[in-house]
Amino acid sequence: MIKADFHTHTTYCDGKNTIEEMYEAAVDKGMKAIGFSGHSHTSFDESYCMSRHDTAKYIREVLMLNKTTKETIEIYLGIETDSFTDMTDMDRFDYVLGSVHYVLKDGCYLPVDESADLFKKNVSEYYGWDYCAFCCDYFKEAAYFADDKDVSIIGHIDLVTKFNENDCIFDTANKKYVSAVNEALYRLAAADKILEINTGAISRGYRKTPYPSEDILVKWRKLGGRIIFSGDAHSTDGLCFAFEDARKIAIDSGFKTAMVLKDGVFEDVSL
């Protein structure tokens, strides 16, 4: 079983635990590696992301922890960059995770995953109840990460389905939706990005299944894409959450390996 998690959040952004607490929990769980990936700064919404000042503090604290710890667990300094971030200097991070949390429509940044009610309200007001049109814009934004040389991991590729488990709001079999998904996957696979199997919505009680859907995983495998397991942990409980379930889904989708960071390099680990 893989015991490494590179998608984690702390009190520097919207997490519940400190860096030290997350690290200690990782040690207690017998993890081999932990990567911190605080949300990058966005000028239009600082409610969930790190401020510029806190980003500098976050970097210093992770680097200091890595320097002073006596445990054998590997510690990595990462960041989860939003597609609309105003940060540009990514060279200081060990890895960058790219995620879409907003859709820009008519000059307004519309949250994708804040709440089901707000999701429906925005689709109503800005898209005339056309959920697939909203999703198309979302996946177009995700596809742009194919051209971002700094981004290695793509976060929760179908986050737009957070409140749509079992297609309770919109139909993911709709041709427009499927076409938008396929276009994003083709571009990201061609750019050799790593797609995460993200269990965060399960640990926080929003879903019973991880991102992405098994349909997307099968397509990704056929494209030769690589995967990584992510807890998207916003608390110590979320670290490596339900990774065994994620492993079974990956195997059922045809994958034989998943990626981990080891000695600073992404490498395959057998499932």
Side-chain angles (χ1 to χ4, degrees), residues 111-124 129 131 134 159-165 168-170 206:
V112 172
D113 63 330
E114 188 170 319
S115 73
D117 287 343
L118 183 57
F119 177 70
K120 293 175 183 177
K121 179 176 181 290
N122 284 336
V123 173
S124 169
W129 291 111
Y131 285 99
F134 181 97
L159 180 66
V160 74
T161 65
K162 179 175 180 177
F163 309 110
N164 190 52
E165 198 160 37
C168 60
I169 299 176
F170 61 89
Y206 290 107

Side-chain angles (χ1 to χ4, degrees), residues 57-96:
K57 290 175 60 180
Y58 160 79
I59 292 171
R60 288 195 298 269
E61 185 170 345
V62 174
L63 293 178
M64 181 58 67
L65 177 65
N66 199 11
K67 182 178 180 180
T68 59
T69 180
K70 297 180 180 179
E71 300 289 346
T72 56
I73 183 172
E74 293 188 27
I75 300 170
Y76 291 97
L77 172 64
I79 192 163
E80 182 176 11
T81 184
D82 190 270
S83 57
F84 296 109
T85 188
D86 55 2
M87 288 180 58
T88 56
D89 182 11
M90 298 297 177
D91 292 340
R92 52 196 154 165
F93 300 103
D94 295 322
Y95 64 95
V96 178

Side-chain angles (χ1 to χ4, degrees), residues 182-199:
N182 290 345
E183 177 62 25
L185 294 180
Y186 293 151
R187 288 187 58 187
L188 295 168
D192 199 28
K193 303 302 183 181
I194 303 169
L195 201 68
E196 66 171 11
I197 299 181
N198 182 313
T199 62

Side-chain angles (χ1 to χ4, degrees), residues 158 165 197-199 202 207-213 245-246 249:
D158 56 349
E165 198 160 37
I197 299 181
N198 182 313
T199 62
I202 306 175
R207 296 178 59 87
K208 295 181 180 179
T209 55
Y211 309 110
S213 68
D245 294 336
I249 291 171

Side-chain angles (χ1 to χ4, degrees), residues 18-29 31 34 36 65 68-75 236 239:
T18 65
I19 284 176
E20 182 70 23
E21 289 169 341
M22 294 291 277
Y23 161 73
E24 290 175 352
V27 172
D28 290 343
K29 290 174 183 283
M31 290 171 55
I34 182 171
F36 295 97
L65 177 65
T68 59
T69 180
K70 297 180 180 179
E71 300 289 346
T72 56
I73 183 172
E74 293 188 27
I75 300 170
T236 56
L239 290 168

